[in-house]
Amino acid sequence: MRSPRTLEVWRLGTVNYLKSLKIQDKLVSERKSHQIPDTLLSLEHPPTYTLGKRRTDHNLLIPQSQLTKIGAELHYTQRGGDITFHGPHQAILYPIISLRSIGFGARNYVETLERSMIEFASMYGVRARAGNKCETGVWVGDRKIGAIGVRISCGITCHGLAFNIDPDLNYFEHIVPCGIADKEVTSLRRETDALLPKEEVIHKQLITCFAKAFSYDDVVWKEDPSFILDTKDDG
Amino acid sequence: MALRLMLASYRIASHLRISVSHRAFSSVVLKDLKYADSHEWVKIEGNKATVGITDHAQEHLGDVVYVELPDVGRSVSQGESFGAVESVKATSDINSPISGKVLQVNKDLSESPALVNSSPYEEGWIIKVELSDAGEVKKLMESDKYSKFCEEEDAKH
């Protein structure tokens, strides 16, 4: 008889990328020492390109010096995966959860993240699918709608997934997204005629799909994001 | 027919010193290695050790596309991360089962990271270490205990 599993959810609004890394580092450390339960961050980033551990910067198609001109930052990270773009109207989830307590390895974890996004897309009548081998992520036909890039350290996860609600897709033209050439990027806005509700509602739906896919018994919605945002800092 | 195959697999397994669970698709666990609960194995030969990740680990990772190796000469500590593997857009830290100094890293993994999947105990070895504390090996699991540990972990979902 397993004990009930609780997920604490923080909805943070728009968060600068480096700040989100600092928040995650702190939460990973707290999760490792059992100070907090499984935690989920729900947020957006200002226009930001990020690279994974393999530092595949050949997939950035414009000089780094041009990035400020287009209003974007670039960051190198320790997550898996290739280059990607994050920006307004893209829903991001960063789960800080213990995989050991559910006996999951990387593959099960990533497949369940894919299922969360597929289930979410289906709420709007969008038939999405998991990627083929070497194409981890969520696709509608040959168009990528959701990306995944995670890090697992002592069985605790960080980084996570990004689902395109209605971001400015032009930003993706400056990269080879996820290192996969000749495949388009798409969004929920493009794939459905359904009326999209307020983004706050959409984020909550995505979170609920995540919680269901990972079989959480309880979801605790944390109020007061300033508690982990440290409002003294800029951004 | 299935019973005969099962008995044959036990006979072959005991000859090769492999422990085989009766469950289908169970991972391979070798008897003469020691195991960490983070799914790394270590082969001790005098004051030298070879380290890799287990068959259970590679199954649960998916296809490995990249292995981050430490520098030769660097020290490693029991339970601490010394490198990482990437699979399915996930980087997973590799923790050292023992403490010591890195003598050699498996450079083949730079060209052929999939060796970790196809041959986790042989060609997919990751580092060779000079032990600094042989007593630490007592904290690791024997093969039977590790097999049971894997079964219990898999039963969690």
Side-chain angles (χ1 to χ4, degrees), chain A residues 176-190:
Chain A
V176 181
C178 309
I180 303 170
D182 307 326
K183 292 264 167 89
E184 274 178 62
V185 177
T186 188
S187 65
L188 189 63
R189 173 71 289 157
R190 285 217 176 159

Side-chain angles (χ1 to χ4, degrees), chain B residues 58-115:
Chain B
Q58 69 78 19
E59 266 172 5
H60 284 65
L61 280 173
D63 294 343
V64 173
V65 299
Y66 174 68
V67 181
E68 184 186 63
L69 296 165
D71 291 327
V72 170
R74 183 214 138 134
S75 49
V76 293
S77 303
Q78 189 177 53
E80 305 275 313
S81 166
F82 68 83
V85 289
E86 182 176 338
S87 63
V88 295
K89 306 281 176 86
T91 51
S92 302
D93 284 0
I94 321 170
N95 298 322
S96 185
I98 36 75
S99 307
K101 191 171 83 167
V102 177
L103 296 173
Q104 211 183 330
V105 302
N106 186 353
K107 294 202 181 98
D108 289 344
L109 296 180
S110 304
E111 284 295 314
S112 311
L115 287 173

Side-chain angles (χ1 to χ4, degrees), chain A residues 74-87:
Chain A
L74 172 72
H75 294 288
Y76 290 82
T77 77
Q78 295 298 309
R79 62 160 173 77
D82 208 300
I83 193 167
T84 196
F85 171 78
H86 299 306

